[in-house]
Amino acid sequence: MEKEETIKSRLKIPENTSDRNDYIQGIGKKELAAVVCVLGISLGILLPALLSGANAVLWTFAAVFMTASSVIIVKRDKTNESLVDKIKFMARYQKSQKRYLYEQKDFLMLQTGKEERQ
């Protein structure tokens, strides 16, 4: 009995652990793929703009901003949800039914079995 209690006291179950293998905390394969896609798109916009003689500082800032914002959007937090997931949850909640229609019934009549038929 005493041995069993010492085993239970040593057992520690971690909280807020992710069920995925992450490269960096909150960024796994799926999130990294999304960030790399946005980086490719921003470089695809940046390079032709720089070659055409446009303002280099402005276009570089735009490319860095797009990539950084994609990291913020797809990175998962402690609850294993990203900003995209939270927006999906809010949209699903907005579509859900908000009014609950109840019918009033006389419970005394139901218990005695003298329910009126309509």
Side-chain angles (χ1 to χ4, degrees), residues 9-57:
S9 65
R10 286 187 290 157
L11 180 65
K12 298 195 184 214
I13 299 172
E15 295 179 8
N16 294 332
T17 56
S18 177
D19 57 347
R20 298 181 179 180
N21 294 330
D22 293 345
Y23 300 120
I24 303 170
Q25 183 181 359
I27 297 180
K29 289 180 182 179
K30 180 178 151 184
E31 293 81 15
L32 188 63
V35 171
V36 168
C37 286
V38 170
L39 179 64
I41 291 170
S42 63
L43 288 177
I45 295 170
L46 174 68
L47 293 177
L50 291 178
L51 294 175
S52 68
N55 188 354
V57 175

Side-chain angles (χ1 to χ4, degrees), residues 61-74:
F61 176 75
V64 169
F65 177 76
M66 286 172 42
T67 307
S69 62
S70 70
V71 170
I72 292 170
I73 290 172
V74 299

